[in-house]
Amino acid sequence: MREAIKNPFVQMFHRDLRRKSILIAIYAAILSGSATISLVALPIYYVEIKHIAFLDTLSFEFISFGIGIIGYIFAAHLGNKIGRRNVMAVFMFITSISVSGIILSTSYYYVLLFNIVFIFFYYHSGLHGHFM
């Protein structure tokens, strides 16, 4: 009975859950770092490399984050239907393709389109604790 009342944080480091807890911690650290980098680096990349005006870059981000909310809800719903790990794998693949599209795009509108796709499929990661 005493084992059942223990602090859940302490229970994560019992022998049977230790490996999974460490993997989740590493995944969460990488995920939060990559989210921060994308939030900071994408506007800088658009202004410096793609030569898109700063106000246009801000509009890209506001449009994309609005659509990203829909992506987050979609990922949660789809995760309940087909499994969260499957959703995570497919969404991560599409996210990597959209990053390639952002880098290779020469048109203003393609950059916006790939940015929307990137944010839509990228912020499913708020569900990362449920994937493991």
Side-chain angles (χ1 to χ4, degrees):
M1 187 61 146
R2 289 184 183 179
E3 292 292 319
I5 318 176
K6 278 188 177 178
N7 182 347
F9 183 76
V10 173
Q11 290 178 358
M12 288 187 337
F13 294 101
H14 281 212
R15 185 172 31 197
D16 57 336
L17 293 177
R18 191 174 300 141
R19 180 173 177 254
K20 193 172 192 178
S21 297
I22 290 170
L23 289 175
I24 289 173
I26 291 169
Y27 176 74
I30 292 170
L31 187 67
S32 63
S34 63
T36 303
I37 288 170
S38 71
L39 290 174
V40 173
L42 273 178
I44 294 169
Y45 176 78
Y46 292 151
V47 170
E48 296 293 324
I49 306 298
K50 293 293 185 178
H51 304 293
I52 297 172
F54 181 71
L55 291 177
D56 290 341
T57 298
L58 289 179
S59 68
F60 278 16
E61 297 307 311
F62 284 121
I63 292 168
S64 299
F65 287 131
I67 293 173
I69 293 168
I70 297 167
Y72 182 85
I73 294 168
F74 179 69
H77 179 70
L78 197 59
N80 287 333
K81 298 280 185 194
I82 65 171
R84 288 184 169 91
R85 288 184 186 191
N86 297 331
V87 171
M88 183 177 71
V90 170
F91 276 31
M92 290 176 101
F93 177 73
I94 295 172
T95 298
S96 63
I97 290 173
S98 64
V99 168
S100 300
I102 289 171
I103 292 169
L104 299 174
S105 293
T106 55
S107 168
Y108 173 89
Y109 296 107
Y110 285 134
V111 172
L112 173 61
L113 175 70
F114 283 115
N115 188 69
I116 289 171
V117 171
F118 172 75
I119 299 295
F120 182 89
F121 289 103
Y122 184 69
Y123 288 104
H124 73 281
S125 55
L127 302 170
H128 71 275
H130 302 289
F131 289 118
M132 299 295 175

